Amino acid sequence: MDSTGWKTWAEGASSGLGAGMAVVPYVLLQHYRKLKLSDQETLLLIHLISFKQVEQKDFPTLEELQEVMGTSAQSIAQSLQKLLKEGLISIDEELDELRGIQYERYNLSGLYIKLGQCLAALEKNISSQRSSRLKQQENLEPEEGHNLFVVFEKEFGRPLSPMECETISGWIDQDRYPEELIRMALKEAVFAGKVHFRYIDRILLEWSRNRVKTVNDAKAYTQKFRSSGRS
C-alpha cells in the first residue's frame, strides 16, 4: 500500500467500524489473566469479536480462524472447547425463517458477564480501599485531637504563647509527667475554674509529691481530696 493508500485507509478508519475497525473491550485486555485465559484464548476471543463486528460473521470456520491466528486448527478447536466449558462463549442455533436455513452463531454474552463481574470486583476493591483510607483518617483525627498543645489551645480558646509551649514541653521532657496525667490536670483546672498554667503546674507538683503516676491514681487522689473538703 502506497502513501496515498495509507492516507485513504487512515481517513476511512476514523469513521469507525465501517472502515474495518473492531471495538474490543479494554477490560478484556486488562483482566484476561484473572479469567485464567491464555494469550491464544484471548486472541481467539478478539478474533470472534472482530469477525462479528467487521465481517458480520457470527460463526467463522476453523479455517478462517486458523488463517488469521496462524496456528493449527486442532489448537484453535481446543481453545474453543475450553471457552465453551468455562461458559465464556456458547453456540446458539438459529433459524432463518425466510430461507428455511438453520445456522449457528457464537454467543459471547458469557464473556461480557464475566468481564462485568471483574469490573464489579474491581470497583468493590476500590471502594474498600477508599473506605479503609477514610477509617485511617478518622483514626488519626482523634490522635491529633489528643495532642497536648491542641488540647490546651482548645481549652484556653486561643493559641499558646512560646512560653506556654515551653512549659508543656518541660512537663513532658524534664519532669517526665505522662501526657495522660497532664491532660487530667488540665481537666481538674477546668473543673475548678482556674484555667491557667500556674494552677496546673501546682496540681502536677502535688500529684508528684503524693506519688500519683497514673490517671487512676489521680482520680483516686482527687476523690479523696474532694471528700476531705479541701479547697
Side-chain angles (χ1 to χ4, degrees), residues 19-205:
M21 301 287 286
V23 178
V24 178
Y26 182 55
V27 64
L28 172 61
L29 303 178
Q30 282 184 309
H31 302 291
Y32 71 92
R33 295 200 180 280
K34 291 183 179 179
L35 298 178
K36 297 182 180 180
L37 294 173
S38 66
D39 293 345
Q40 177 173 305
E41 291 158 356
T42 304
L43 182 59
L44 175 56
L45 286 169
I46 291 173
H47 280 301
L48 292 178
I49 293 171
S50 301
F51 269 109
K52 180 179 179 62
Q53 292 182 359
V54 179
E55 300 187 32
Q56 287 75 52
K57 289 185 178 181
D58 293 328
F59 200 76
T61 65
L62 286 178
E63 290 74 16
E64 289 172 325
L65 291 170
Q66 183 180 5
E67 182 178 353
V68 294
M69 293 185 64
T71 186
S72 68
Q74 180 181 1
S75 177
I76 294 174
Q78 290 175 346
S79 294
L80 286 171
Q81 287 297 324
K82 180 183 176 182
L83 295 176
L84 286 165
K85 183 179 180 181
E86 296 294 329
L88 295 170
I89 65 172
S90 59
I91 298 177
D92 295 341
E93 293 185 356
E94 302 287 346
L95 177 64
D96 187 336
E97 296 182 355
L98 293 177
R99 299 180 181 179
I101 300 175
Q102 189 171 0
Y103 63 94
E104 297 176 323
R105 69 183 183 89
Y106 286 113
N107 186 333
L108 277 68
S109 60
L111 169 65
Y112 297 124
I113 290 174
K114 295 283 188 180
L115 293 177
Q117 291 172 347
C118 282
L119 287 175
L122 180 63
E123 181 63 28
K124 183 178 180 180
N125 185 48
I126 293 174
S127 298
S128 177
Q129 292 178 352
R130 185 183 299 116
S131 176
S132 178
R133 287 195 296 268
L134 288 174
K135 287 182 180 179
Q136 290 176 355
Q137 292 175 357
E138 289 173 358
N139 289 335
L140 286 176
E141 288 175 0
E143 292 178 4
E144 293 176 357
H146 287 165
N147 180 286
L148 282 178
F149 299 94
V150 175
V151 171
F152 269 77
E153 287 184 340
K154 181 178 179 180
E155 292 295 342
F156 277 63
R158 59 173 175 76
L160 299 178
S161 68
M163 183 68 70
E164 291 169 340
C165 290
E166 186 177 342
T167 299
I168 296 176
S169 297
W171 288 338
I172 298 172
D173 299 330
Q174 298 175 17
D175 300 323
R176 302 293 184 182
Y177 294 137
E179 291 189 15
E180 60 180 2
L181 205 61
I182 298 174
R183 287 194 292 270
M184 186 69 180
L186 174 60
K187 290 181 180 179
E188 285 299 308
V190 173
F191 180 82
K194 300 179 180 179
V195 188
H196 51 78
F197 274 80
R198 182 174 297 179
Y199 188 80
I200 297 170
D201 187 64
R202 284 173 53 191
I203 294 175
L204 290 170
L205 182 59

